Structure formats: C-alpha cells, structure tokens
Amino acid sequence: MAAQGTVRQHLVSLYVANKFGVLNRIALVFARRGFNIDSLVVSEADDPAFSHMNIVATGDERTIGHIMKQLAKLVDVVHAVDNTGRDVIQREL
C-alpha cells in the first residue's frame, strides 16, 4: 500500500441517480479538496434512473479517503468505490 502522503492516480467508480445536477455536486466534492479530475466518464446504467460514473483523479491517499466519505453521504450516490490498486479493465473507444 502507498504511503499516506504519496500522490498518485485514483480510479473512483460511482453508481448514482440519473438526475439533473448530480454531476455538478460530485465535481464540487473533488474541487473542495483540491483534487483535479483528470478523466470523467458517465454512462446510463441498465436502469435508466441510474448512471455509472468513472472518475480518474490525482492526489494523496488521505484526501481520497475524505472524498469517498463525502461522496457516500450524498443522497444521489447509491454506491462509491475507490478501485485504486485493484485489477480493473480500462478501455477507450
């Protein structure tokens, strides 16, 4: 596991309500902590009432922990996972 102060890329996956303003509220959580979003992909889930969000951001472990806690508190966020260090498949089309 990386040291607490080590700055690295983090992959955050979210399952959120497909409502107006959700993307803005999530981006503000990152902005308040000084995280720059490097990449953001949003797609509709199987249920059109929800969306999948994948966010790549660069920062330290401690701050991403705070961000994950704040994201989990948002009403429109159903599920939030930090996939950093896990084996995930990433594709660009």
Side-chain angles (χ1 to χ4, degrees), residues 8-14 53-55 64 68 79-90:
R8 61 188 262 188
Q9 279 195 333
H10 297 272
L11 174 61
V12 177
S13 297
L14 304 167
M53 247 182 224
N54 289 307
I55 300 170
I64 197 70
M68 294 304 294
H79 189 67
V81 177
D82 181 8
N83 289 313
T84 306
R86 294 185 181 166
D87 290 333
V88 293
I89 298 173
Q90 294 181 355

Side-chain angles (χ1 to χ4, degrees), residues 12 26 29-31 33-35 57 62-72:
V12 177
I26 290 170
V29 170
F30 283 85
R33 290 287 181 173
F35 259 60
R62 182 170 167 253
T63 305
I64 197 70
H66 290 295
I67 287 173
M68 294 304 294
K69 288 176 187 174
Q70 288 179 329
L71 289 172

Side-chain angles (χ1 to χ4, degrees), residues 27-83:
L28 283 173
V29 170
F30 283 85
R32 276 186 250 138
R33 290 287 181 173
F35 259 60
N36 187 36
I37 294 176
D38 300 326
S39 173
L40 172 69
V41 178
V42 182
S43 61
E44 193 175 80
D46 292 334
D47 180 351
F50 297 96
S51 294
H52 292 282
M53 247 182 224
N54 289 307
I55 300 170
V56 177
T58 305
D60 63 83
E61 297 288 327
R62 182 170 167 253
T63 305
I64 197 70
H66 290 295
I67 287 173
M68 294 304 294
K69 288 176 187 174
Q70 288 179 329
L71 289 172
K73 290 179 185 178
L74 293 177
V75 173
D76 294 318
V77 175
V78 177
H79 189 67
V81 177
D82 181 8
N83 289 313

